[in-house]
Amino acid sequence: MAKFSPVPGTADIFPEESAGYKRIENCGAEIFSRYGYGELRTPIFEYTEVFQRGLGDQTEVVQKEMYTFEDRGGRSLTLRPEGTAGVMRALLNTDVMNGVEQRVFYHGPMFRGERPSAGRRRQFHQIGVENVGKIAPELDAECIAMLSHFLEEIGLTDVTIKINTRGIMSDRVESGNALRKYFSEHIDDMCDDCKNRLEKNIWRILDCKQDNCRKIIADAPDYLQFFSDESKKYFETVCKTLDMLKIKYEIDPLLVRGLDYYVHTVFELSHHSLGEQIAIAGGGRYELYLPGQNRPLQGVGFAAGIERLMMVQEILGVPKVQADAEDKIFLVGLGDEARIANIELAGILRKKGLKVALEVEPKSMKAQMRSANNFGAAKVIIRGLDELNAGTAAVKNMENGEQQVVSYNDLINNL
Ligand code: HAM
């Protein structure tokens, strides 16, 4: 390990890569705002109970992956492993509990103690939304459609959308019993995780990825038959609304999702370039309990992993649009007087909103032009003592190589 490398599963994000995060965040903000969402920023850590109660004690994330520590007063705190629980805690301070709808989006770092691998980090970044306070299948469909719209806008094509229904809690009794009966007959041939899930969370068996287990899962009873008519109708309406919105999706009865708060609609998005195991986004409708609350908060939302979105963008060759390239100016100064005068000119142009770079140390013309190229300047302004005395400057257009002499005043007013 190099002496000063970051902790495995975390990364330093240098300016060029930061720009990629910014583009995705800005695009999300733009698209989500068209659907009435506003940005909510919540703290990066919360009281541990918020996640224990919010995500469910038996959730793998809570059991194995949280970064939990004590503050000086002995309170247990946890770095957020996901955004939903903290957002719900914040929204409790609004009137969502009285059925007033809230639409918020968020982005920022999340923390999970997972084994790092390609596309799996311990500090990663999500961009997500939550629509809280109202229950309607059309809202679930709108949420999936908005996610699809956002992904299109950032250049992601051929995204696979899988959806399923988890019904409501009461639907899971009879269906869960049927699954338990079936799996307990085959459990000796299943993996240790599944053995554990048989006791603790029977539904998670359905998304086990082990080959042996998958063969057994393929013949599991159709649990949907035990769901109430209301739940089935809810899901049908989600599908119909998606059809109307021309969103392509696949229904996957084995999709249960890793967090325990989901009810009704769940969905997960993947891209063939990363494989099915590495979801680029996921979400669904949920009922989330917070400490001290005996009524859950109801909502629908999703989160996408920004690093994974960027991996797909890279593979698809989505151009890194240099939206600001035309504002970039490089100042070349020949001789000490021009070099110093350029420091003043840079200040004036930057205040006008232009992106300006220059060499503050004495450098040859050739070296300065090299810097201008590295900077990606659209125009280079060249001045020496003659230009300073005459009150002029040479302006070189870097795209076509044309150069013209303009007066200093014109330069300042017209750039
Ligand atoms: P999640 O499926 O746990 O859902 O995470 C959402 C997305 O975050 C994943 O699809 C993936 O792109 C990204 N992600 C998760 N873990 C990692 C990791 N270790 N490294 C890189 N990326 C990762 C949630 O977090 C829910 N809160 C989503 C939601 C919002 N459901 C309703 N509202």
Side-chain angles (χ1 to χ4, degrees):
M1 186 179 78
K3 207 166 179 186
F4 296 115
S5 52
V7 173
T10 71
D12 301 310
I13 301 162
F14 283 89
E16 205 181 307
E17 210 186 341
S18 286
Y21 282 78
K22 266 250 140 42
R23 277 195 293 274
I24 288 178
E25 290 159 5
N26 290 346
C27 182
E30 164 61 25
I31 301 299
F32 305 153
S33 73
R34 294 187 204 166
Y35 293 74
Y37 286 76
E39 183 177 351
L40 176 64
R41 295 182 186 223
T42 64
I44 274 170
F45 55 87
E46 299 275 349
Y47 290 123
T48 302
E49 306 93 271
V50 170
F51 302 115
Q52 276 172 338
R53 180 116 166 92
L55 312 190
D57 241 349
Q58 290 309 320
T59 305
E60 232 151 74
V61 171
V62 173
Q63 293 249 316
K64 295 190 199 153
E65 296 171 359
M66 295 208 304
Y67 284 104
T68 298
F69 56 99
E70 263 183 24
D71 73 359
R72 287 171 200 211
R75 287 292 308 248
S76 178
L77 305 175
T78 294
L79 296 183
R80 61 183 186 195
E82 58 99 62
T84 313
V87 167
M88 294 306 114
R89 188 212 29 77
L91 291 182
L92 266 186
N93 299 317
T94 69
D95 41 15
V96 273
M97 278 305 214
N98 303 324
V100 177
E101 191 182 350
Q102 292 282 343
R103 293 179 171 226
V104 296
F105 72 86
Y106 51 89
H107 50 75
M110 308 287 161
F111 306 85
R112 295 185 192 175
E114 298 193 75
R115 186 126 59 94
S117 59
R120 201 170 300 280
R121 291 195 185 183
R122 291 177 172 163
Q123 175 172 340
F124 57 98
H125 297 76
Q126 284 187 343
I127 180 160
V129 311
E130 310 296 345
N131 178 332
V132 192
K134 289 238 181 308
I135 307 171
E138 292 82 359
L139 288 177
D140 302 17
E142 184 194 78
C143 195
I144 296 170
M146 180 171 76
L147 173 56
S148 162
H149 181 176
F150 161 59
L151 296 181
E152 242 172 68
E153 229 26 68
I154 60 165
L156 266 53
T157 47
D158 291 331
V159 169
T160 304
I161 305 179
K162 289 195 168 168
I163 68 170
N164 191 23
T165 177
R166 307 264 6 241
I168 53 171
M169 294 301 171
S170 59
D171 291 332
R172 293 192 205 162
V173 182
E174 236 185 302
S175 49
N177 285 341
L179 291 178
R180 203 167 290 106
K181 182 168 179 298
Y182 170 78
F183 286 122
S184 44
E185 284 160 13
H186 297 87
I187 200 67
D188 291 345
D189 301 324
M190 300 186 85
C191 71
D192 285 347
D193 279 342
C194 282
K195 289 192 173 96
N196 203 15
R197 289 170 186 145
L198 183 69
E199 300 288 318
K200 297 214 166 112
N201 192 346
I202 187 79
W203 295 91
R204 286 307 306 276
I205 291 187
L206 294 177
D207 66 8
C208 181
K209 306 287 184 269
Q210 303 276 342
D211 286 345
N212 259 357
C213 299
R214 286 198 86 81
K215 279 182 208 141
I216 296 167
I217 293 162
D219 293 327
D222 165 25
Y223 58 81
L224 199 66
Q225 59 180 305
F226 301 106
F227 280 18
S228 64
D229 288 343
E230 237 178 286
S231 292
K232 287 184 201 156
K233 189 152 177 285
Y234 188 101
F235 191 53
E236 271 166 35
T237 311
V238 173
C239 295
K240 267 192 208 144
T241 315
L242 287 174
D243 292 339
M244 184 187 76
L245 295 170
K246 306 212 165 30
I247 305 292
K248 282 205 191 106
Y249 59 91
E250 292 167 24
I251 297 175
D252 179 1
L254 300 183
L255 177 68
V256 290
R257 304 261 311 130
L259 301 161
D260 287 347
Y261 49 48
Y262 291 109
V263 291
H264 287 306
T265 323
V266 285
F267 50 91
E268 211 156 80
L269 280 66
S270 58
H271 193 267
H272 53 84
S273 62
L274 302 185
E276 276 192 24
Q277 310 262 8
I278 304 275
I280 54 173
R285 176 161 288 283
Y286 49 84
E287 282 183 358
L288 189 140
Y289 287 87
L290 286 166
Q293 298 284 317
N294 46 23
R295 236 179 3 123
L297 267 164
Q298 311 256 2
V300 61
F302 64 76
I306 299 184
E307 287 81 7
R308 295 184 183 182
L309 299 178
M310 294 201 301
M311 283 165 81
V312 181
Q313 281 184 322
E314 188 79 38
I315 292 166
L316 293 179
V318 174
K320 298 190 167 91
V321 192
Q322 283 272 343
D324 53 1
E326 68 270 24
D327 295 342
K328 284 189 168 181
I329 312 283
F330 195 92
L331 307 184
V332 169
L334 303 172
D336 276 345
E337 288 85 353
R339 185 173 58 81
I340 304 288
N342 275 350
I343 296 174
E344 185 199 6
L345 177 58
I348 295 169
L349 297 180
R350 284 170 178 150
K351 286 196 174 151
K352 280 179 59 126
L354 298 162
K355 297 185 174 64
V356 183
L358 70 166
E359 292 289 356
V360 289
E361 298 165 312
K363 290 259 167 79
S364 70
M365 172 84 176
K366 203 171 152 196
Q368 292 185 65
M369 286 309 285
R370 205 178 308 125
S371 302
N373 271 322
N374 291 341
F375 178 58
K379 284 184 186 144
V380 174
I381 296 168
I382 306 161
R383 298 195 298 170
L385 197 52
D386 288 351
E387 284 78 9
L388 286 188
N389 288 336
T392 59
V395 180
K396 181 168 179 159
N397 181 324
M398 294 297 274
E399 213 174 301
N400 55 21
E402 278 172 21
Q403 191 164 314
Q404 61 183 135
V405 176
V406 298
S407 79
Y408 181 75
N409 285 341
D410 278 357
L411 182 77
I412 291 184
N413 293 326
N414 299 333
L415 260 184

